[in-house]
Amino acid sequence: MLLSCTINGEKIEKETDPGKRLLDFLRDDMWLTGVKEGCSEGECGACTVILDGKAVTSCTVYAGQVMDRDILTIEGLEKNGELDVLQKAFIQNGAIQCGFCTPGMILSCRALLQEKPNPTREEIQRAIEGNLCRCTGYEKIIKAVNCVVKGEVQ
C-alpha cells in the first residue's frame, strides 16, 4: 500500500506493507532509529511515539493504521539544531543514563505536557508508568518534567 502520513511535521508517502509494525516502518523504512525496540509487546515503552497527540507503543500499531495520521518521534522534537526543552531538562537533571528508554520516556512526557501543561506528580507518574527504566529510578525523570513545568530549564 502507499502509506500517506505526517512524520515529524513532514508529509510523506511511502510504499509499505500495511501489516508491518509502525516500529519497523519508522526504523527500517524511514531511518528514524531513535525509536527503540525493547519487549515487542507494548510493555516496556522503548518504542513510544506520539500518534495524533497520544503516546503509543509503536510495536503494537500497524503501518496500515497510521494512514493520514500525525506521528512524532524523538527526532522531531529538535528544531533548527536546538533541543526541545524537555530534552534539555532530561540532560540537566541527569534523567538519562544508558539512554535506551530515553526517547520513549521523553515522548510519553511530551504527550502529557501537551494535554496537561501543569501536571501533578501523580499525573507524571501515571504518564510514564508504561516506560521501563533500569537506570534512573524515575525520580530524576519526574524532576526533569517538573523543571519544564516551572520554567527552570537552562
Side-chain angles (χ1 to χ4, degrees):
M1 75 176 267
L2 184 63
L3 175 61
S4 176
C5 63
T6 302
I7 300 176
N8 298 330
E10 183 179 332
K11 182 89 166 145
I12 65 109
E13 288 188 346
K14 187 131 179 121
E15 196 65 39
T16 193
D17 175 355
K20 181 181 253 188
R21 297 180 307 169
L22 178 58
L23 166 68
D24 299 319
F25 174 74
L26 292 171
R27 286 186 62 81
D28 301 340
D29 298 352
M30 300 306 299
W31 297 95
L32 296 168
T33 57
V35 182
K36 305 297 184 202
E37 181 164 11
C39 69
S40 301
E41 297 177 347
E43 297 293 325
C44 74
C47 68
T48 300
V49 298
I50 298 178
L51 178 63
D52 293 337
K54 303 285 183 199
V56 300
T57 50
S58 62
C59 71
T60 62
V61 176
Y62 293 110
Q65 294 175 284
V66 299
M67 180 67 84
D68 299 323
R69 298 179 75 185
D70 186 57
I71 302 160
L72 178 66
T73 71
I74 194 73
E75 291 90 348
L77 289 183
E78 173 268 331
K79 299 287 187 235
N80 299 319
E82 183 77 18
L83 292 178
D84 179 78
V85 67
L86 198 49
Q87 291 171 305
K88 290 178 184 178
F90 266 59
I91 293 167
Q92 178 180 315
N93 288 282
I96 53 173
Q97 288 184 7
C98 84
F100 193 79
C101 74
T102 304
M105 193 72 74
I106 287 175
L107 288 166
S108 290
C109 294
R110 170 58 55 219
L112 168 67
L113 292 173
Q114 287 172 344
E115 186 178 321
K116 293 185 176 263
N118 192 19
T120 64
R121 178 181 177 82
E122 292 75 28
E123 289 169 330
I124 297 168
Q125 289 173 314
R126 225 172 299 120
I128 63 173
E129 69 186 5
N131 298 78
L132 298 179
C133 177
R134 304 262 186 242
C135 302
T136 65
Y138 300 96
E139 284 304 314
K140 292 178 181 181
I141 293 166
I142 293 167
K143 184 178 177 188
V145 175
N146 278 322
C147 282
V148 171
V149 170
K150 295 175 184 174
E152 298 174 345
V153 181
Q154 300 170 354

